[in-house]
Amino acid sequence: MRKNLKILMAAAEIAPFAKAGGLADVVGSLPPALKKLGCDVRLIMPLYGSVNRKKFKLKKIHSDISISSGGRRIKINIWQTKLPNAAVAVYFIEQKKYFGAKKIYAKKGNAERFLFFSLTVLDILPKIRFRPDIIHCHDFHTALIPDLLKTENRPRLKNIKTVFTIHNINYQGNSETEVLKTGNLSKNSLKTLTKDARDGDINFMVQGILNAGIITTVSKTYAREIATSIYGAKLDNIIKQRKKDLYGILNGIDMDSFNPEKDKFIKTNYSARALDKKIENKLYLQKKLNLPANKDIALVGMVSRLAWQKGLELITEELAGLNCQFVILGTGQKKYEKHLKVLAKKYPDKFSAQIMFDAKLARQIYSGSDIFLMPSRFEPCGLGQMFAMRYGAVPVVRATGGLADTVSDFGFRISDFGLPKKASGFTFKDFTASALQHKLKQALDVFYNKPKTWRRLRINGMKKDFSWNKSAKEYLKLYRSLAGKN
Ligand code: GLC
């Protein structure tokens, strides 16, 4: 029998404690699946001012631990709890100056904050008495952990292996070389740092890619895309250097929590067998949003960070000419927020702009929509389309990254002969408003004129298995191959 692997996952966000995007969902939902496969997996994140200590039953387990960082001694406390509904330990690093604010990401100084966090991850291991076989780092925030492990100062931790997961290659963490001091590093500590520093700054993502044992990203298509100049965000050549250690593993979702049969946040529960009840969720949503309540008109939903990545430029005024309603929920860049508010003001019967972060309303949108829109410019994995299919909404998405890997395209059909066996949505290739409109029109045509086909598309989506089971096994295989190497 192989011994159980010990895995420590380090991330800037973990749901339900603190979340800005899909990263939090992934780090909060993959570990229970790994635990079921026999891993001793534990998590670690910073303790932000916004983490609800009472609700999540955090306990302080160590006080006033002194961390030596850039010639200073900085005191931290360690708190601990478990993931709700799973026996997975979660550690939190409390350090008021760095993490005391409510927001996960500060306006400035993130490189320093997260390098300090990365340093503590290694320094507290003896305190929490955990000696992981593998540290699994997520995104640029923890991308310097492999560097820290490679420097001479840590002979005891030398054999710990690292996995680095890229959730989004566009957030790279560039910073002045000065910041390295925080991690007791300098540009001479490693060859990769020396080289990286030649242009005057350090790129955290580059370090993670070059120094981690294995690199993964969150879909197979995105793994291919980031090795190209279009999607590589200027790191395609760095990615190519590590191509043989790069794997695409599709994210899963928490199928228990996101379950239309049991979800407590939606108006009426339903399943693929009792799909007609879904309509009540639509009528409820239309009323709540002040859109005309009409079960016969198609409702198109979007739940998204309002960022460049998400293709909001393609949501143009022309869409108001289509026979459907739109609801868009999310926050982000001001120009997109404004654009959506203007549309909603001008076409109150067609557009509803919900500029906020609201996890409950998000579920009401998945359950109340007929169509779910994701016109992303790029999309490493995307979770929204999976939630939508789980709730019987039909995705219309751009064929990129994880969207291409999860939505089976209905394609062009001349006749309606036979029902689609696998198709669960509609995909378009060109990043243009007209390509989006074209696809949306095709979807609306099926919605209004081919009800049996439409029903089958929804059922096909609802039957897909988006659980972590398969992907957790793929991670385990990688962990094992790494831990076997010395
Ligand atoms: C990022 C990506 C998104 C992915 C998520 C989790 O937010 O933009 O596509 O689903 O990370 O991996």
PDB file of all heavy atoms in Angstrom, residues 149-166:
ATOM      1  N   LEU A 149      11.606  27.538  -1.758  1.00  0.00           N
ATOM      2  CA  LEU A 149      12.050  26.177  -1.417  1.00  0.00           C
ATOM      3  C   LEU A 149      13.392  25.841  -2.042  1.00  0.00           C
ATOM      4  O   LEU A 149      14.122  25.011  -1.530  1.00  0.00           O
ATOM      5  CB  LEU A 149      11.010  25.159  -1.885  1.00  0.00           C
ATOM      6  CG  LEU A 149       9.783  24.997  -0.987  1.00  0.00           C
ATOM      7  CD1 LEU A 149       8.711  24.191  -1.701  1.00  0.00           C
ATOM      8  CD2 LEU A 149      10.160  24.319   0.323  1.00  0.00           C
ATOM      9  N   LYS A 150      13.678  26.483  -3.152  1.00  0.00           N
ATOM     10  CA  LYS A 150      14.929  26.160  -3.857  1.00  0.00           C
ATOM     11  C   LYS A 150      16.149  26.860  -3.283  1.00  0.00           C
ATOM     12  O   LYS A 150      17.266  26.490  -3.584  1.00  0.00           O
ATOM     13  CB  LYS A 150      14.803  26.511  -5.346  1.00  0.00           C
ATOM     14  CG  LYS A 150      14.066  25.449  -6.118  1.00  0.00           C
ATOM     15  CD  LYS A 150      14.238  25.644  -7.603  1.00  0.00           C
ATOM     16  CE  LYS A 150      13.584  24.486  -8.332  1.00  0.00           C
ATOM     17  NZ  LYS A 150      13.617  24.651  -9.769  1.00  0.00           N
ATOM     18  N   THR A 151      15.940  27.903  -2.506  1.00  0.00           N
ATOM     19  CA  THR A 151      17.114  28.611  -1.992  1.00  0.00           C
ATOM     20  C   THR A 151      17.753  27.802  -0.868  1.00  0.00           C
ATOM     21  O   THR A 151      17.124  26.950  -0.253  1.00  0.00           O
ATOM     22  CB  THR A 151      16.755  30.019  -1.489  1.00  0.00           C
ATOM     23  OG1 THR A 151      15.683  29.891  -0.582  1.00  0.00           O
ATOM     24  CG2 THR A 151      16.374  30.939  -2.619  1.00  0.00           C
ATOM     25  N   GLU A 152      18.973  28.116  -0.617  1.00  0.00           N
ATOM     26  CA  GLU A 152      19.793  27.315   0.299  1.00  0.00           C
ATOM     27  C   GLU A 152      19.254  27.261   1.729  1.00  0.00           C
ATOM     28  O   GLU A 152      19.495  26.301   2.436  1.00  0.00           O
ATOM     29  CB  GLU A 152      21.217  27.912   0.367  1.00  0.00           C
ATOM     30  CG  GLU A 152      21.830  28.177  -0.977  1.00  0.00           C
ATOM     31  CD  GLU A 152      22.239  26.896  -1.672  1.00  0.00           C
ATOM     32  OE1 GLU A 152      23.212  26.303  -1.224  1.00  0.00           O
ATOM     33  OE2 GLU A 152      21.574  26.500  -2.639  1.00  0.00           O
ATOM     34  N   ASN A 153      18.526  28.322   2.151  1.00  0.00           N
ATOM     35  CA  ASN A 153      18.195  28.446   3.583  1.00  0.00           C
ATOM     36  C   ASN A 153      17.293  27.363   4.148  1.00  0.00           C
ATOM     37  O   ASN A 153      17.037  27.348   5.329  1.00  0.00           O
ATOM     38  CB  ASN A 153      17.501  29.789   3.903  1.00  0.00           C
ATOM     39  CG  ASN A 153      17.761  30.838   2.878  1.00  0.00           C
ATOM     40  OD1 ASN A 153      18.693  30.673   2.102  1.00  0.00           O
ATOM     41  ND2 ASN A 153      16.981  31.896   2.838  1.00  0.00           N
ATOM     42  N   ARG A 154      16.757  26.509   3.300  1.00  0.00           N
ATOM     43  CA  ARG A 154      15.770  25.583   3.843  1.00  0.00           C
ATOM     44  C   ARG A 154      16.100  24.121   3.583  1.00  0.00           C
ATOM     45  O   ARG A 154      15.317  23.408   2.971  1.00  0.00           O
ATOM     46  CB  ARG A 154      14.392  25.894   3.257  1.00  0.00           C
ATOM     47  CG  ARG A 154      13.844  27.199   3.736  1.00  0.00           C
ATOM     48  CD  ARG A 154      12.421  27.424   3.328  1.00  0.00           C
ATOM     49  NE  ARG A 154      11.970  28.661   3.897  1.00  0.00           N
ATOM     50  CZ  ARG A 154      12.349  29.851   3.454  1.00  0.00           C
ATOM     51  NH1 ARG A 154      13.141  29.940   2.416  1.00  0.00           N
ATOM     52  NH2 ARG A 154      11.909  30.940   4.043  1.00  0.00           N
ATOM     53  N   PRO A 155      17.224  23.666   4.050  1.00  0.00           N
ATOM     54  CA  PRO A 155      17.604  22.283   3.736  1.00  0.00           C
ATOM     55  C   PRO A 155      16.565  21.271   4.212  1.00  0.00           C
ATOM     56  O   PRO A 155      16.329  20.267   3.546  1.00  0.00           O
ATOM     57  CB  PRO A 155      18.939  22.110   4.473  1.00  0.00           C
ATOM     58  CG  PRO A 155      19.052  23.253   5.418  1.00  0.00           C
ATOM     59  CD  PRO A 155      18.211  24.347   4.880  1.00  0.00           C
ATOM     60  N   ARG A 156      15.911  21.581   5.335  1.00  0.00           N
ATOM     61  CA  ARG A 156      14.957  20.606   5.883  1.00  0.00           C
ATOM     62  C   ARG A 156      13.738  20.411   4.986  1.00  0.00           C
ATOM     63  O   ARG A 156      13.072  19.396   5.015  1.00  0.00           O
ATOM     64  CB  ARG A 156      14.498  21.032   7.275  1.00  0.00           C
ATOM     65  CG  ARG A 156      15.456  20.562   8.363  1.00  0.00           C
ATOM     66  CD  ARG A 156      14.856  20.721   9.727  1.00  0.00           C
ATOM     67  NE  ARG A 156      14.305  22.056   9.906  1.00  0.00           N
ATOM     68  CZ  ARG A 156      13.046  22.304  10.203  1.00  0.00           C
ATOM     69  NH1 ARG A 156      12.200  21.335  10.369  1.00  0.00           N
ATOM     70  NH2 ARG A 156      12.630  23.541  10.347  1.00  0.00           N
ATOM     71  N   LEU A 157      13.416  21.451   4.238  1.00  0.00           N
ATOM     72  CA  LEU A 157      12.208  21.371   3.399  1.00  0.00           C
ATOM     73  C   LEU A 157      12.553  21.022   1.961  1.00  0.00           C
ATOM     74  O   LEU A 157      11.694  21.034   1.090  1.00  0.00           O
ATOM     75  CB  LEU A 157      11.462  22.720   3.437  1.00  0.00           C
ATOM     76  CG  LEU A 157      11.076  23.249   4.821  1.00  0.00           C
ATOM     77  CD1 LEU A 157      10.332  24.569   4.693  1.00  0.00           C
ATOM     78  CD2 LEU A 157      10.200  22.257   5.558  1.00  0.00           C
ATOM     79  N   LYS A 158      13.824  20.717   1.749  1.00  0.00           N
ATOM     80  CA  LYS A 158      14.326  20.576   0.387  1.00  0.00           C
ATOM     81  C   LYS A 158      13.533  19.587  -0.476  1.00  0.00           C
ATOM     82  O   LYS A 158      13.355  19.811  -1.664  1.00  0.00           O
ATOM     83  CB  LYS A 158      15.804  20.168   0.415  1.00  0.00           C
ATOM     84  CG  LYS A 158      16.630  20.969  -0.569  1.00  0.00           C
ATOM     85  CD  LYS A 158      18.094  20.596  -0.496  1.00  0.00           C
ATOM     86  CE  LYS A 158      18.314  19.252  -1.147  1.00  0.00           C
ATOM     87  NZ  LYS A 158      19.551  18.620  -0.759  1.00  0.00           N
ATOM     88  N   ASN A 159      13.069  18.517   0.139  1.00  0.00           N
ATOM     89  CA  ASN A 159      12.413  17.491  -0.687  1.00  0.00           C
ATOM     90  C   ASN A 159      10.946  17.739  -0.973  1.00  0.00           C
ATOM     91  O   ASN A 159      10.303  16.937  -1.637  1.00  0.00           O
ATOM     92  CB  ASN A 159      12.583  16.117  -0.046  1.00  0.00           C
ATOM     93  CG  ASN A 159      14.030  15.695  -0.149  1.00  0.00           C
ATOM     94  OD1 ASN A 159      14.700  16.025  -1.135  1.00  0.00           O
ATOM     95  ND2 ASN A 159      14.529  15.035   0.872  1.00  0.00           N
ATOM     96  N   ILE A 160      10.414  18.818  -0.445  1.00  0.00           N
ATOM     97  CA  ILE A 160       9.006  19.109  -0.734  1.00  0.00           C
ATOM     98  C   ILE A 160       8.878  19.487  -2.210  1.00  0.00           C
ATOM     99  O   ILE A 160       9.629  20.311  -2.726  1.00  0.00           O
ATOM    100  CB  ILE A 160       8.484  20.262   0.157  1.00  0.00           C
ATOM    101  CG1 ILE A 160       8.529  19.847   1.625  1.00  0.00           C
ATOM    102  CG2 ILE A 160       7.067  20.654  -0.253  1.00  0.00           C
ATOM    103  CD1 ILE A 160       8.028  20.906   2.590  1.00  0.00           C
ATOM    104  N   LYS A 161       7.934  18.853  -2.898  1.00  0.00           N
ATOM    105  CA  LYS A 161       7.709  19.143  -4.325  1.00  0.00           C
ATOM    106  C   LYS A 161       6.620  20.198  -4.471  1.00  0.00           C
ATOM    107  O   LYS A 161       5.822  20.409  -3.547  1.00  0.00           O
ATOM    108  CB  LYS A 161       7.265  17.884  -5.064  1.00  0.00           C
ATOM    109  CG  LYS A 161       8.118  16.679  -4.799  1.00  0.00           C
ATOM    110  CD  LYS A 161       9.476  16.850  -5.428  1.00  0.00           C
ATOM    111  CE  LYS A 161      10.296  15.592  -5.213  1.00  0.00           C
ATOM    112  NZ  LYS A 161      11.696  15.803  -5.340  1.00  0.00           N
ATOM    113  N   THR A 162       6.571  20.798  -5.659  1.00  0.00           N
ATOM    114  CA  THR A 162       5.570  21.852  -5.846  1.00  0.00           C
ATOM    115  C   THR A 162       4.769  21.674  -7.137  1.00  0.00           C
ATOM    116  O   THR A 162       5.289  21.218  -8.158  1.00  0.00           O
ATOM    117  CB  THR A 162       6.249  23.240  -5.906  1.00  0.00           C
ATOM    118  OG1 THR A 162       7.335  23.177  -6.828  1.00  0.00           O
ATOM    119  CG2 THR A 162       6.756  23.670  -4.552  1.00  0.00           C
ATOM    120  N   VAL A 163       3.499  22.029  -7.041  1.00  0.00           N
ATOM    121  CA  VAL A 163       2.623  22.124  -8.216  1.00  0.00           C
ATOM    122  C   VAL A 163       2.162  23.571  -8.279  1.00  0.00           C
ATOM    123  O   VAL A 163       1.841  24.160  -7.241  1.00  0.00           O
ATOM    124  CB  VAL A 163       1.391  21.198  -8.073  1.00  0.00           C
ATOM    125  CG1 VAL A 163       0.412  21.414  -9.224  1.00  0.00           C
ATOM    126  CG2 VAL A 163       1.819  19.736  -8.011  1.00  0.00           C
ATOM    127  N   PHE A 164       2.176  24.135  -9.467  1.00  0.00           N
ATOM    128  CA  PHE A 164       1.709  25.516  -9.625  1.00  0.00           C
ATOM    129  C   PHE A 164       0.548  25.526 -10.612  1.00  0.00           C
ATOM    130  O   PHE A 164       0.694  25.079 -11.748  1.00  0.00           O
ATOM    131  CB  PHE A 164       2.861  26.393 -10.139  1.00  0.00           C
ATOM    132  CG  PHE A 164       2.461  27.815 -10.424  1.00  0.00           C
ATOM    133  CD1 PHE A 164       1.843  28.580  -9.442  1.00  0.00           C
ATOM    134  CD2 PHE A 164       2.701  28.391 -11.664  1.00  0.00           C
ATOM    135  CE1 PHE A 164       1.465  29.898  -9.703  1.00  0.00           C
ATOM    136  CE2 PHE A 164       2.330  29.710 -11.925  1.00  0.00           C
ATOM    137  CZ  PHE A 164       1.714  30.461 -10.946  1.00  0.00           C
ATOM    138  N   THR A 165      -0.605  25.996 -10.162  1.00  0.00           N
ATOM    139  CA  THR A 165      -1.769  26.043 -11.043  1.00  0.00           C
ATOM    140  C   THR A 165      -2.036  27.467 -11.517  1.00  0.00           C
ATOM    141  O   THR A 165      -2.119  28.394 -10.702  1.00  0.00           O
ATOM    142  CB  THR A 165      -3.025  25.478 -10.345  1.00  0.00           C
ATOM    143  OG1 THR A 165      -2.790  24.096 -10.073  1.00  0.00           O
ATOM    144  CG2 THR A 165      -4.263  25.604 -11.233  1.00  0.00           C
ATOM    145  N   ILE A 166      -2.142  27.604 -12.837  1.00  0.00           N
ATOM    146  CA  ILE A 166      -2.455  28.905 -13.444  1.00  0.00           C
ATOM    147  C   ILE A 166      -3.966  28.984 -13.646  1.00  0.00           C
ATOM    148  O   ILE A 166      -4.520  28.251 -14.469  1.00  0.00           O
ATOM    149  CB  ILE A 166      -1.745  29.045 -14.804  1.00  0.00           C
ATOM    150  CG1 ILE A 166      -0.232  28.895 -14.639  1.00  0.00           C
ATOM    151  CG2 ILE A 166      -2.104  30.372 -15.473  1.00  0.00           C
ATOM    152  CD1 ILE A 166       0.516  28.784 -15.968  1.00  0.00           C
TER     153      ILE A 166
END
